[in-house]
Amino acid sequence: MDIFETLESEVRSYCRSWDTVFERASGSVLYNEDGMEYLDFFSGAGALNYGHNNPIMLKALIDYLQSGAITMSLDMKTPAKRRFLENFRELILAPRGLDYKVMFPGPTGTNSVEAALKLARKYTGRHHILSFTNAFHGMTLGSLSVTGNSMKRAGAGIPLTNTSSMPYDGYFSDRTAEISWLRQALDDTGSGVDKPAAVIVETVQGEGGLRAARVPWLKDLSALCREHGALLIVDDIQAGCGRTGTFFSFEEAGITPDIVCLSKSISGFGLPLALTLFSPELDIWKPGEHNGTFRGHNPAFVTGAAALEHFWRDDEFEKQIARRSRQLHEGLSQIAAGNEGAVVRGRGLLAGIYYPDPATAHRVAAECFSKGLLVETSGPQDEVLKTMPALTISAARLSRGLDILAAAARAVTGSPNTYQPVA
Ligand SMILES: *Cc1c(COP(=O)(O)O)cnc(C)c1O
Protein backbone atom coordinates (compact mmCIF):
# COMPACT_ATOMS: atom_id res chain seq x y z
CA MET A 1 0.00 0.00 0.00
CA ASP A 2 1.42 3.37 -0.99
CA ILE A 3 0.46 6.79 0.35
CA PHE A 4 -2.07 7.24 -2.46
CA GLU A 5 -3.97 4.29 -1.03
CA THR A 6 -3.43 4.93 2.67
CA LEU A 7 -3.94 8.69 2.77
CA GLU A 8 -5.94 9.67 -0.27
CA SER A 9 -9.71 9.30 -0.08
CA GLU A 10 -11.63 6.39 -1.55
CA VAL A 11 -13.17 8.92 -3.94
CA ARG A 12 -10.11 8.73 -6.19
CA SER A 13 -10.93 7.21 -9.56
CA TYR A 14 -8.63 7.37 -12.62
CA CYS A 15 -5.59 6.32 -10.58
CA ARG A 16 -7.34 3.02 -9.86
CA SER A 17 -7.53 1.90 -13.51
CA TRP A 18 -4.08 3.29 -14.28
CA ASP A 19 -2.16 2.19 -11.25
CA THR A 20 1.28 3.65 -11.85
CA VAL A 21 3.04 6.89 -10.93
CA PHE A 22 3.25 9.21 -13.93
CA GLU A 23 6.25 11.47 -13.81
CA ARG A 24 6.86 13.22 -17.13
CA ALA A 25 4.98 13.85 -20.34
CA SER A 26 5.49 15.34 -23.76
CA GLY A 27 2.95 15.62 -26.55
CA SER A 28 1.04 12.32 -26.70
CA VAL A 29 3.39 10.35 -24.47
CA LEU A 30 3.60 9.97 -20.69
CA TYR A 31 6.37 8.28 -18.71
CA ASN A 32 6.04 6.67 -15.32
CA GLU A 33 8.68 6.78 -12.60
CA ASP A 34 10.43 3.74 -14.04
CA GLY A 35 10.65 5.39 -17.45
CA MET A 36 8.00 3.19 -19.02
CA GLU A 37 6.25 4.91 -21.91
CA TYR A 38 2.46 5.28 -22.27
CA LEU A 39 0.75 6.55 -25.38
CA ASP A 40 -2.07 8.91 -24.46
CA PHE A 41 -5.51 8.31 -26.00
CA PHE A 42 -7.14 10.03 -23.02
CA SER A 43 -5.77 13.60 -23.06
CA GLY A 44 -6.82 14.50 -19.54
CA ALA A 45 -10.47 13.77 -20.40
CA GLY A 46 -10.20 16.48 -23.04
CA ALA A 47 -8.22 19.01 -21.01
CA LEU A 48 -5.08 18.35 -23.08
CA ASN A 49 -6.29 18.84 -26.64
CA TYR A 50 -2.88 20.24 -27.64
CA GLY A 51 -0.97 17.45 -25.89
CA HIS A 52 1.20 17.52 -22.79
CA ASN A 53 3.64 20.38 -22.21
CA ASN A 54 3.20 21.89 -25.64
CA PRO A 55 6.45 23.86 -26.09
CA ILE A 56 4.73 27.01 -27.36
CA MET A 57 2.50 27.35 -24.32
CA LEU A 58 5.26 26.15 -22.00
CA LYS A 59 7.58 28.93 -23.17
CA ALA A 60 4.85 31.57 -22.87
CA LEU A 61 4.14 30.37 -19.33
CA ILE A 62 7.78 30.29 -18.19
CA ASP A 63 8.45 33.73 -19.68
CA TYR A 64 5.37 35.09 -17.95
CA LEU A 65 6.21 33.64 -14.54
CA GLN A 66 9.83 34.80 -14.73
CA SER A 67 8.87 38.32 -15.76
CA GLY A 68 7.46 39.20 -12.34
CA ALA A 69 3.94 39.54 -13.75
CA ILE A 70 0.79 38.98 -11.69
CA THR A 71 -0.31 35.40 -10.98
CA MET A 72 -3.39 35.83 -8.80
CA SER A 73 -5.70 38.79 -9.27
CA LEU A 74 -9.29 37.52 -8.71
CA ASP A 75 -11.08 39.22 -11.61
CA MET A 76 -9.02 42.39 -11.71
CA LYS A 77 -7.69 43.80 -14.98
CA THR A 78 -4.31 42.47 -16.12
CA PRO A 79 -2.51 42.51 -19.47
CA ALA A 80 -2.77 38.69 -19.53
CA LYS A 81 -6.55 38.85 -19.28
CA ARG A 82 -6.69 41.60 -21.90
CA ARG A 83 -4.68 39.51 -24.36
CA PHE A 84 -6.79 36.42 -23.77
CA LEU A 85 -10.03 38.37 -24.31
CA GLU A 86 -8.66 40.08 -27.43
CA ASN A 87 -7.53 36.79 -28.92
CA PHE A 88 -10.80 35.10 -28.05
CA ARG A 89 -12.77 37.87 -29.75
CA GLU A 90 -10.54 38.16 -32.81
CA LEU A 91 -9.66 34.52 -33.46
CA ILE A 92 -12.73 32.67 -32.22
CA LEU A 93 -15.87 34.81 -31.91
CA ALA A 94 -15.53 37.34 -34.76
CA PRO A 95 -14.62 34.89 -37.57
CA ARG A 96 -17.64 32.78 -36.62
CA GLY A 97 -19.98 35.75 -36.44
CA LEU A 98 -20.69 35.03 -32.78
CA ASP A 99 -21.71 37.85 -30.49
CA TYR A 100 -21.20 36.59 -26.94
CA LYS A 101 -20.32 38.22 -23.65
CA VAL A 102 -17.58 36.32 -21.78
CA MET A 103 -17.99 35.41 -18.14
CA PHE A 104 -15.29 33.81 -16.01
CA PRO A 105 -16.93 31.60 -13.39
CA GLY A 106 -14.79 29.50 -11.03
CA PRO A 107 -12.15 27.57 -12.97
CA THR A 108 -13.97 24.25 -13.46
CA GLY A 109 -16.49 22.99 -15.95
CA THR A 110 -19.16 22.43 -13.34
CA ASN A 111 -18.87 26.06 -12.29
CA SER A 112 -19.54 27.16 -15.87
CA VAL A 113 -22.65 24.95 -15.92
CA GLU A 114 -23.86 26.33 -12.57
CA ALA A 115 -23.49 29.87 -13.94
CA ALA A 116 -25.40 28.93 -17.10
CA LEU A 117 -28.30 27.38 -15.14
CA LYS A 118 -28.51 30.33 -12.73
CA LEU A 119 -28.49 32.86 -15.54
CA ALA A 120 -31.15 31.01 -17.55
CA ARG A 121 -33.45 30.90 -14.51
CA LYS A 122 -32.80 34.52 -13.63
CA TYR A 123 -33.39 35.72 -17.19
CA THR A 124 -36.54 33.76 -17.95
CA GLY A 125 -38.05 33.76 -14.48
CA ARG A 126 -38.73 30.03 -14.94
CA HIS A 127 -37.33 27.36 -12.63
CA HIS A 128 -37.42 24.21 -14.75
CA ILE A 129 -34.51 22.91 -16.85
CA LEU A 130 -34.59 20.12 -19.43
CA SER A 131 -31.59 17.88 -19.93
CA PHE A 132 -31.01 14.58 -21.72
CA THR A 133 -30.63 10.90 -20.99
CA ASN A 134 -26.99 9.98 -20.27
CA ALA A 135 -25.97 13.64 -20.05
CA PHE A 136 -22.97 14.61 -17.95
CA HIS A 137 -22.58 18.20 -16.81
CA GLY A 138 -20.47 18.07 -13.65
CA MET A 139 -20.55 17.10 -9.99
CA THR A 140 -21.96 20.09 -8.07
CA LEU A 141 -25.65 20.03 -7.18
CA GLY A 142 -27.01 22.09 -10.09
CA SER A 143 -24.91 20.19 -12.61
CA LEU A 144 -25.85 16.85 -11.06
CA SER A 145 -29.52 17.76 -11.37
CA VAL A 146 -29.07 17.76 -15.17
CA THR A 147 -26.79 14.69 -15.24
CA GLY A 148 -28.17 11.25 -16.09
CA ASN A 149 -25.90 8.79 -14.28
CA SER A 150 -27.71 7.36 -11.25
CA MET A 151 -24.52 6.62 -9.26
CA LYS A 152 -23.31 10.21 -9.63
CA ARG A 153 -26.78 11.60 -8.89
CA ALA A 154 -27.05 9.53 -5.73
CA GLY A 155 -23.89 11.20 -4.43
CA ALA A 156 -25.84 14.44 -4.06
CA GLY A 157 -27.55 13.03 -0.97
CA ILE A 158 -30.61 15.22 -1.54
CA PRO A 159 -33.40 15.15 -4.13
CA LEU A 160 -32.30 16.71 -7.41
CA THR A 161 -35.27 18.75 -8.50
CA ASN A 162 -36.57 21.31 -11.00
CA THR A 163 -35.33 19.35 -14.00
CA SER A 164 -36.67 16.72 -16.41
CA SER A 165 -34.69 14.30 -18.52
CA MET A 166 -35.64 13.95 -22.20
CA PRO A 167 -34.48 11.27 -24.67
CA TYR A 168 -31.21 12.21 -26.43
CA ASP A 169 -30.85 11.67 -30.16
CA GLY A 170 -30.48 7.92 -30.75
CA TYR A 171 -31.80 6.90 -27.32
CA PHE A 172 -34.59 4.89 -28.93
CA SER A 173 -33.89 2.69 -31.91
CA ASP A 174 -36.43 4.70 -33.90
CA ARG A 175 -34.42 7.78 -34.74
CA THR A 176 -37.44 10.07 -35.12
CA ALA A 177 -38.97 9.36 -31.74
CA GLU A 178 -36.74 11.47 -29.51
CA ILE A 179 -37.45 14.90 -30.95
CA SER A 180 -41.19 14.12 -31.20
CA TRP A 181 -41.20 13.25 -27.52
CA LEU A 182 -39.56 16.55 -26.65
CA ARG A 183 -41.86 18.52 -28.96
CA GLN A 184 -44.90 16.85 -27.42
CA ALA A 185 -43.67 17.50 -23.88
CA LEU A 186 -43.33 21.20 -24.69
CA ASP A 187 -46.49 21.59 -26.84
CA ASP A 188 -48.93 19.57 -24.75
CA THR A 189 -50.19 21.46 -21.72
CA GLY A 190 -51.03 18.09 -20.22
CA SER A 191 -47.49 16.68 -20.48
CA GLY A 192 -46.66 17.40 -16.86
CA VAL A 193 -43.40 19.04 -17.90
CA ASP A 194 -43.13 22.63 -16.70
CA LYS A 195 -42.09 25.27 -19.25
CA PRO A 196 -38.30 25.23 -19.09
CA ALA A 197 -35.96 28.16 -18.55
CA ALA A 198 -33.43 26.28 -20.65
CA VAL A 199 -32.49 23.04 -22.34
CA ILE A 200 -28.90 21.94 -21.74
CA VAL A 201 -27.22 19.61 -24.21
CA GLU A 202 -23.87 18.13 -25.24
CA THR A 203 -23.53 17.70 -29.02
CA VAL A 204 -21.52 14.53 -28.29
CA GLN A 205 -22.06 12.84 -24.95
CA GLY A 206 -18.50 12.60 -23.65
CA GLU A 207 -19.07 10.71 -20.42
CA GLY A 208 -22.49 9.24 -21.21
CA GLY A 209 -21.51 6.83 -24.01
CA LEU A 210 -20.30 8.93 -26.99
CA ARG A 211 -23.66 9.27 -28.68
CA ALA A 212 -23.35 12.12 -31.18
CA ALA A 213 -26.43 14.19 -31.97
CA ARG A 214 -27.17 14.49 -35.67
CA VAL A 215 -27.31 17.91 -37.31
CA PRO A 216 -31.09 17.83 -38.05
CA TRP A 217 -31.80 16.88 -34.43
CA LEU A 218 -29.72 19.81 -33.15
CA LYS A 219 -31.46 22.17 -35.58
CA ASP A 220 -34.88 20.95 -34.44
CA LEU A 221 -33.84 21.31 -30.82
CA SER A 222 -32.66 24.86 -31.39
CA ALA A 223 -35.91 25.78 -33.18
CA LEU A 224 -38.03 24.18 -30.44
CA CYS A 225 -36.21 26.21 -27.78
CA ARG A 226 -36.87 29.46 -29.68
CA GLU A 227 -40.53 28.56 -30.11
CA HIS A 228 -41.01 27.94 -26.41
CA GLY A 229 -38.94 30.80 -25.01
CA ALA A 230 -36.40 28.40 -23.53
CA LEU A 231 -32.70 29.19 -23.73
CA LEU A 232 -30.43 26.67 -25.44
CA ILE A 233 -27.30 25.88 -23.43
CA VAL A 234 -24.58 23.90 -25.19
CA ASP A 235 -22.15 22.30 -22.77
CA ASP A 236 -19.02 22.34 -24.93
CA ILE A 237 -16.68 21.62 -22.04
CA GLN A 238 -15.48 18.34 -23.51
CA ALA A 239 -16.57 18.50 -27.16
CA GLY A 240 -15.38 22.08 -27.71
CA CYS A 241 -11.92 23.57 -28.32
CA GLY A 242 -11.51 21.65 -31.59
CA ARG A 243 -12.30 18.17 -30.31
CA THR A 244 -14.98 17.44 -32.93
CA GLY A 245 -13.15 19.21 -35.76
CA THR A 246 -14.20 22.85 -35.36
CA PHE A 247 -13.58 25.17 -32.41
CA PHE A 248 -17.17 24.84 -31.17
CA SER A 249 -18.85 21.49 -31.62
CA PHE A 250 -22.13 23.10 -32.73
CA GLU A 251 -20.65 24.90 -35.77
CA GLU A 252 -21.44 22.00 -38.09
CA ALA A 253 -25.13 22.22 -37.12
CA GLY A 254 -25.26 25.93 -37.94
CA ILE A 255 -27.02 26.74 -34.67
CA THR A 256 -26.25 29.57 -32.26
CA PRO A 257 -26.83 28.56 -28.66
CA ASP A 258 -27.89 31.26 -26.20
CA ILE A 259 -25.32 30.08 -23.66
CA VAL A 260 -22.10 28.07 -24.15
CA CYS A 261 -20.02 26.41 -21.44
CA LEU A 262 -16.28 25.97 -22.05
CA SER A 263 -13.52 24.65 -19.82
CA LYS A 264 -11.17 21.62 -20.06
CA SER A 265 -8.90 22.67 -23.00
CA ILE A 266 -9.61 26.40 -23.03
CA SER A 267 -6.35 27.13 -21.14
CA GLY A 268 -4.49 25.12 -23.78
CA PHE A 269 -2.11 23.66 -21.24
CA GLY A 270 -4.16 21.75 -18.71
CA LEU A 271 -4.41 24.70 -16.33
CA PRO A 272 -7.79 25.35 -14.70
CA LEU A 273 -9.95 27.89 -16.54
CA ALA A 274 -13.63 28.06 -17.46
CA LEU A 275 -15.80 30.39 -19.52
CA THR A 276 -19.54 30.90 -19.79
CA LEU A 277 -20.53 32.66 -23.00
CA PHE A 278 -23.96 34.20 -23.58
CA SER A 279 -25.85 36.58 -25.86
CA PRO A 280 -25.38 40.18 -24.71
CA GLU A 281 -29.09 40.64 -23.88
CA LEU A 282 -28.79 37.87 -21.28
CA ASP A 283 -26.14 39.80 -19.40
CA ILE A 284 -28.38 40.83 -16.52
CA TRP A 285 -25.99 39.72 -13.76
CA LYS A 286 -25.47 42.10 -10.88
CA PRO A 287 -21.77 42.73 -10.12
CA GLY A 288 -20.48 39.84 -8.02
CA GLU A 289 -23.69 37.82 -8.28
CA HIS A 290 -21.71 34.73 -9.34
CA ASN A 291 -18.46 35.47 -7.57
CA GLY A 292 -15.43 33.31 -6.78
CA THR A 293 -11.78 33.57 -5.86
CA PHE A 294 -10.16 31.91 -8.86
CA ARG A 295 -12.14 33.42 -11.72
CA GLY A 296 -9.54 33.97 -14.34
CA HIS A 297 -6.11 32.69 -13.42
CA ASN A 298 -3.40 34.69 -15.18
CA PRO A 299 -1.08 31.76 -16.03
CA ALA A 300 -4.09 30.07 -17.67
CA PHE A 301 -4.87 33.26 -19.61
CA VAL A 302 -1.29 33.31 -20.87
CA THR A 303 -1.27 29.71 -22.12
CA GLY A 304 -4.88 30.03 -23.38
CA ALA A 305 -4.02 33.15 -25.41
CA ALA A 306 -0.93 31.44 -26.84
CA ALA A 307 -2.95 28.36 -27.84
CA LEU A 308 -5.53 30.47 -29.67
CA GLU A 309 -2.80 32.39 -31.48
CA HIS A 310 -0.88 29.32 -32.49
CA PHE A 311 -3.68 26.95 -33.51
CA TRP A 312 -6.68 29.04 -34.50
CA ARG A 313 -5.25 31.78 -36.74
CA ASP A 314 -6.31 29.99 -39.94
CA ASP A 315 -8.00 26.71 -40.89
CA GLU A 316 -4.83 24.57 -41.12
CA PHE A 317 -5.42 23.02 -37.71
CA GLU A 318 -9.03 22.13 -38.54
CA LYS A 319 -7.81 20.40 -41.70
CA GLN A 320 -5.29 18.40 -39.69
CA ILE A 321 -7.98 17.39 -37.17
CA ALA A 322 -10.17 16.24 -40.09
CA ARG A 323 -7.37 14.03 -41.44
CA ARG A 324 -6.68 12.48 -38.04
CA SER A 325 -10.41 11.99 -37.45
CA ARG A 326 -10.76 10.04 -40.69
CA GLN A 327 -7.81 7.88 -39.71
CA LEU A 328 -9.23 7.26 -36.24
CA HIS A 329 -12.75 6.42 -37.46
CA GLU A 330 -11.42 4.07 -40.14
CA GLY A 331 -9.25 2.26 -37.61
CA LEU A 332 -12.06 2.01 -35.07
CA SER A 333 -14.50 0.64 -37.68
CA GLN A 334 -12.02 -2.07 -38.61
CA ILE A 335 -11.46 -2.93 -34.95
CA ALA A 336 -15.22 -3.08 -34.33
CA ALA A 337 -15.82 -5.25 -37.40
CA GLY A 338 -16.04 -8.90 -36.54
CA ASN A 339 -17.62 -8.20 -33.14
CA GLU A 340 -21.35 -8.84 -33.41
CA GLY A 341 -23.18 -5.66 -32.43
CA ALA A 342 -20.08 -3.52 -31.89
CA VAL A 343 -20.43 -0.05 -33.43
CA VAL A 344 -18.33 3.08 -33.69
CA ARG A 345 -19.75 6.09 -31.89
CA GLY A 346 -18.73 9.73 -31.59
CA ARG A 347 -17.52 12.54 -33.80
CA GLY A 348 -14.08 13.91 -34.69
CA LEU A 349 -11.39 12.91 -32.22
CA LEU A 350 -14.00 12.06 -29.59
CA ALA A 351 -14.87 8.57 -30.76
CA GLY A 352 -14.96 4.99 -29.62
CA ILE A 353 -16.53 1.57 -29.85
CA TYR A 354 -19.76 0.48 -28.23
CA TYR A 355 -19.73 -3.20 -27.25
CA PRO A 356 -23.01 -5.03 -26.51
CA ASP A 357 -21.40 -6.90 -23.61
CA PRO A 358 -20.78 -4.19 -21.01
CA ALA A 359 -17.69 -5.97 -19.63
CA THR A 360 -15.80 -5.85 -22.94
CA ALA A 361 -14.80 -2.17 -23.12
CA HIS A 362 -13.45 -2.24 -19.58
CA ARG A 363 -11.38 -5.34 -20.31
CA VAL A 364 -10.03 -3.91 -23.57
CA ALA A 365 -9.06 -0.68 -21.77
CA ALA A 366 -7.25 -2.67 -19.08
CA GLU A 367 -5.43 -4.72 -21.72
CA CYS A 368 -4.43 -1.49 -23.50
CA PHE A 369 -2.95 -0.15 -20.26
CA SER A 370 -0.80 -3.24 -19.86
CA LYS A 371 0.39 -2.70 -23.45
CA GLY A 372 1.24 0.97 -22.77
CA LEU A 373 -1.85 2.79 -24.06
CA LEU A 374 -4.20 4.98 -22.01
CA VAL A 375 -7.84 4.69 -23.09
CA GLU A 376 -10.88 5.09 -20.89
CA THR A 377 -14.44 3.86 -21.01
CA SER A 378 -17.67 5.82 -21.19
CA GLY A 379 -21.38 5.20 -20.72
CA PRO A 380 -23.63 4.24 -17.81
CA GLN A 381 -22.15 0.74 -17.69
CA ASP A 382 -18.71 1.65 -19.08
CA GLU A 383 -19.85 -0.17 -22.20
CA VAL A 384 -18.05 2.15 -24.63
CA LEU A 385 -14.32 2.16 -25.28
CA LYS A 386 -13.48 5.86 -25.58
CA THR A 387 -10.54 7.27 -27.49
CA MET A 388 -9.54 10.89 -27.23
CA PRO A 389 -6.06 11.42 -28.66
CA ALA A 390 -4.50 14.88 -28.61
CA LEU A 391 -5.62 16.96 -31.60
CA THR A 392 -1.92 17.48 -32.29
CA ILE A 393 -1.06 13.77 -32.45
CA SER A 394 1.03 12.67 -35.45
CA ALA A 395 -0.42 10.21 -37.97
CA ALA A 396 2.30 7.72 -36.98
CA ARG A 397 1.51 7.90 -33.25
CA LEU A 398 -2.20 7.58 -33.99
CA SER A 399 -1.47 4.43 -36.00
CA ARG A 400 0.66 3.06 -33.21
CA GLY A 401 -2.19 3.57 -30.73
CA LEU A 402 -4.69 1.92 -33.07
CA ASP A 403 -2.32 -1.05 -33.47
CA ILE A 404 -2.28 -1.52 -29.71
CA LEU A 405 -6.05 -1.08 -29.48
CA ALA A 406 -6.63 -3.66 -32.24
CA ALA A 407 -4.35 -6.19 -30.56
CA ALA A 408 -6.02 -5.61 -27.18
CA ALA A 409 -9.49 -5.99 -28.69
CA ARG A 410 -8.43 -9.24 -30.38
CA ALA A 411 -6.95 -10.58 -27.15
CA VAL A 412 -10.06 -9.75 -25.12
CA THR A 413 -12.87 -10.64 -27.53
CA GLY A 414 -11.15 -13.59 -29.18
CA SER A 415 -12.61 -12.51 -32.50
CA PRO A 416 -10.43 -11.44 -35.39
CA ASN A 417 -11.00 -7.87 -36.59
CA THR A 418 -10.25 -6.51 -40.03
CA TYR A 419 -7.77 -3.97 -38.72
CA GLN A 420 -4.62 -3.71 -40.83
CA PRO A 421 -1.63 -2.05 -39.24
CA VAL A 422 -0.37 0.66 -41.56
CA ALA A 423 3.34 -0.05 -41.27
C1 LIG B 1 -15.77 17.44 -17.62
C2 LIG B 1 -17.14 17.94 -17.94
C3 LIG B 1 -17.85 18.79 -17.07
C4 LIG B 1 -17.34 19.14 -15.71
O1 LIG B 1 -16.13 19.80 -15.71
P1 LIG B 1 -15.27 19.78 -14.35
O2 LIG B 1 -14.09 20.65 -14.66
O3 LIG B 1 -14.89 18.37 -14.10
O4 LIG B 1 -16.13 20.34 -13.29
C5 LIG B 1 -19.08 19.25 -17.49
N1 LIG B 1 -19.59 18.91 -18.68
C6 LIG B 1 -18.94 18.12 -19.55
C7 LIG B 1 -19.54 17.80 -20.87
C8 LIG B 1 -17.70 17.59 -19.19
O5 LIG B 1 -17.06 16.77 -20.03
Side-chain angles (χ1 to χ4, degrees), residues 45 107-111 113 136-139 202 206-207 235-239 263-264:
T108 60
T110 198
N111 216 303
V113 171
F136 178 77
H137 296 292
M139 299 298 285
E202 300 156 90
E207 301 301 302
D235 177 347
D236 234 1
I237 291 167
Q238 186 161 156
S263 184
K264 293 216 162 90

Side-chain angles (χ1 to χ4, degrees), residues 82-358:
R82 179 194 288 133
R83 184 151 157 247
F84 178 82
L85 284 169
E86 283 172 355
N87 282 358
F88 195 72
R89 184 177 60 195
E90 272 140 49
L91 300 171
I92 302 301
L93 296 180
R96 290 164 182 79
L98 294 170
D99 184 17
Y100 285 132
K101 292 294 283 284
V102 177
M103 167 180 180
F104 298 110
T108 60
T110 198
N111 216 303
S112 172
V113 171
E114 295 288 348
L117 300 179
K118 274 191 190 176
L119 185 62
R121 287 178 166 132
K122 184 178 161 71
Y123 182 77
T124 60
R126 299 177 182 173
H127 64 273
H128 207 64
I129 307 275
L130 299 185
S131 58
F132 292 98
T133 48
N134 291 311
F136 178 77
H137 296 292
M139 299 298 285
T140 50
L141 291 182
S143 304
L144 277 179
S145 75
V146 287
T147 286
N149 188 293
S150 56
M151 184 274 275
K152 296 199 164 81
R153 290 175 66 89
I158 55 164
L160 297 168
T161 56
N162 297 307
T163 58
S164 303
S165 184
M166 294 285 135
Y168 190 77
D169 192 21
Y171 189 65
F172 301 128
S173 44
D174 169 8
R175 278 274 193 165
T176 57
E178 299 89 2
I179 206 77
S180 324
W181 180 298
L182 178 65
R183 182 174 289 120
Q184 192 76 1
L186 290 168
D187 283 345
D188 180 6
T189 51
S191 70
V193 177
D194 293 336
K195 281 271 184 214
V199 178
I200 183 166
V201 68
E202 300 156 90
T203 66
V204 184
Q205 296 190 310
E207 301 301 302
L210 292 184
R211 280 198 175 87
R214 292 160 310 150
V215 164
W217 187 86
L218 288 169
K219 282 189 191 298
D220 283 350
L221 175 64
S222 170
L224 270 176
C225 287
R226 288 270 131 82
E227 219 177 286
H228 290 274
L231 302 178
L232 177 63
I233 304 171
V234 169
D235 177 347
D236 234 1
I237 291 167
Q238 186 161 156
C241 298
R243 187 42 68 184
T244 64
T246 48
F247 187 84
F248 294 107
S249 71
F250 53 81
E251 290 176 42
E252 186 183 313
I255 58 169
T256 306
D258 302 288
I259 306 180
V260 181
C261 300
L262 281 180
S263 184
K264 293 216 162 90
S265 273
I266 189 64
S267 82
F269 199 69
L271 298 177
L273 182 67
L275 271 54
T276 312
L277 313 175
F278 37 81
S279 310
E281 72 272 16
L282 299 188
D283 198 6
I284 56 165
W285 289 115
K286 296 210 167 57
E289 203 177 353
H290 187 92
N291 228 340
T293 307
F294 293 107
R295 282 172 310 110
H297 190 48
N298 288 291
F301 284 145
V302 169
T303 53
L308 296 179
E309 248 165 59
H310 185 72
F311 291 102
W312 297 98
R313 234 176 224 301
D314 53 37
D315 60 2
E316 277 313 304
F317 190 48
E318 294 187 1
K319 288 182 184 154
Q320 182 185 317
I321 302 170
R323 288 193 294 271
R324 298 291 182 275
S325 298
R326 273 195 299 278
Q327 188 186 348
L328 177 65
H329 284 249
E330 267 163 37
L332 291 175
S333 309
Q334 291 167 6
I335 294 169
N339 275 107
E340 182 83 31
V343 285
V344 176
R345 280 198 191 159
R347 197 149 70 80
L349 292 176
L350 178 53
I353 303 175
Y354 161 84
Y355 287 101
D357 175 357

